[in-house]
Amino acid sequence: MNYKAKLHRIKAFVFDFDGVMTDGSVWTMANGDTVRYGNVKDGYAIQYAVKKGYIVACISGATSQSIAHRMNALGVTQCYMGCANKMQTYTKFLESNGLGPDEVVVMGDDIPDFDILQHCGVSSCPADAAVEIKEIVDYISIYEGGRGCVRDIIEQVLRLQQKWFHSDAVNW
């Protein structure tokens, strides 16, 4: 089945952080703090999806207050960090939100995302994901991590469900 046929059922998005919402670079400062690069257009799409009633979550192996701060600023209240077992966290996410796996898009980029990518409605990854991930996903974005892949998949879902921005709906 073409992945686009599955997008009609989507109610939620789950994203890895490093390598998906960022380009995978982590700059370590002299004081030990880390800095990550993100994309404003990805951020816009995330907050827009939240405003339209979609559930958006981040499941990451990383632990950084900057990740939680970024997600909270975009309206994402379900940010799971330090996840050694992403599948366990993902299962709890589904249960706590009353979702079936077929109602969720998952975007991951590397081996720790492998299991949850096999248990969702639409599995996706950035263009620069690990080969093992590209081999199993339904959709490979034309955009790399931190360079628009998040907006790409969100926009596809919202457009298909006729919830994306329409210029004729703006009151000038």
Side-chain angles (χ1 to χ4, degrees), residues 36-58:
R36 291 165 165 85
Y37 167 88
N39 185 293
V40 172
K41 291 179 182 175
D42 285 345
Y44 177 79
I46 291 168
Q47 63 83 32
Y48 192 76
V50 169
K51 286 180 183 174
K52 290 293 186 175
Y54 292 86
I55 299 165
V56 180
C58 175

Side-chain angles (χ1 to χ4, degrees), residues 72-118:
N72 286 331
L74 297 173
V76 176
T77 58
Q78 298 183 62
C79 184
Y80 309 95
M81 294 184 296
C83 299
N85 183 336
K86 289 188 177 188
M87 189 64 196
Q88 183 179 15
T89 303
Y90 175 69
T91 301
K92 288 179 183 177
F93 164 79
L94 293 175
E95 291 171 4
S96 67
N97 288 284
L99 293 166
D102 63 320
E103 297 174 305
V104 182
V105 166
V106 174
M107 182 173 271
D109 71 309
D110 213 340
I111 304 298
D113 305 309
F114 192 89
D115 289 341
I116 63 174
L117 286 165
Q118 294 186 304

Side-chain angles (χ1 to χ4, degrees), residues 12-157:
F13 299 90
V14 172
F15 298 104
D16 178 30
F17 197 83
D18 290 326
V20 172
M21 292 193 203
T22 74
D23 67 0
S25 298
V26 180
W27 302 337
T28 305
M29 309 306 281
N31 66 0
D33 288 344
T34 57
V35 178
R36 291 165 165 85
Y37 167 88
N39 185 293
V40 172
K41 291 179 182 175
D42 285 345
Y44 177 79
I46 291 168
Q47 63 83 32
Y48 192 76
V50 169
K51 286 180 183 174
K52 290 293 186 175
Y54 292 86
I55 299 165
V56 180
C58 175
I59 299 178
S60 177
T63 55
S64 172
Q65 283 304 108
S66 63
I67 295 171
H69 180 72
R70 174 72 173 147
M71 293 294 91
N72 286 331
L74 297 173
V76 176
T77 58
Q78 298 183 62
C79 184
Y80 309 95
M81 294 184 296
C83 299
N85 183 336
K86 289 188 177 188
M87 189 64 196
Q88 183 179 15
T89 303
Y90 175 69
T91 301
K92 288 179 183 177
F93 164 79
L94 293 175
E95 291 171 4
S96 67
N97 288 284
L99 293 166
D102 63 320
E103 297 174 305
V104 182
V105 166
V106 174
M107 182 173 271
D109 71 309
D110 213 340
I111 304 298
D113 305 309
F114 192 89
D115 289 341
I116 63 174
L117 286 165
Q118 294 186 304
H119 293 90
C120 61
V122 176
S123 56
S124 60
C125 70
D128 58 342
V131 172
E132 295 84 357
I133 299 304
K134 288 180 176 181
E135 290 175 349
I136 64 161
V137 296
D138 298 313
Y139 174 69
I140 301 171
S141 176
I142 62 171
Y143 302 101
E144 295 181 350
R147 306 254 186 238
C149 62
V150 171
R151 178 168 178 150
D152 177 26
I153 194 65
I154 290 174
E155 190 173 333
Q156 285 188 54
V157 171

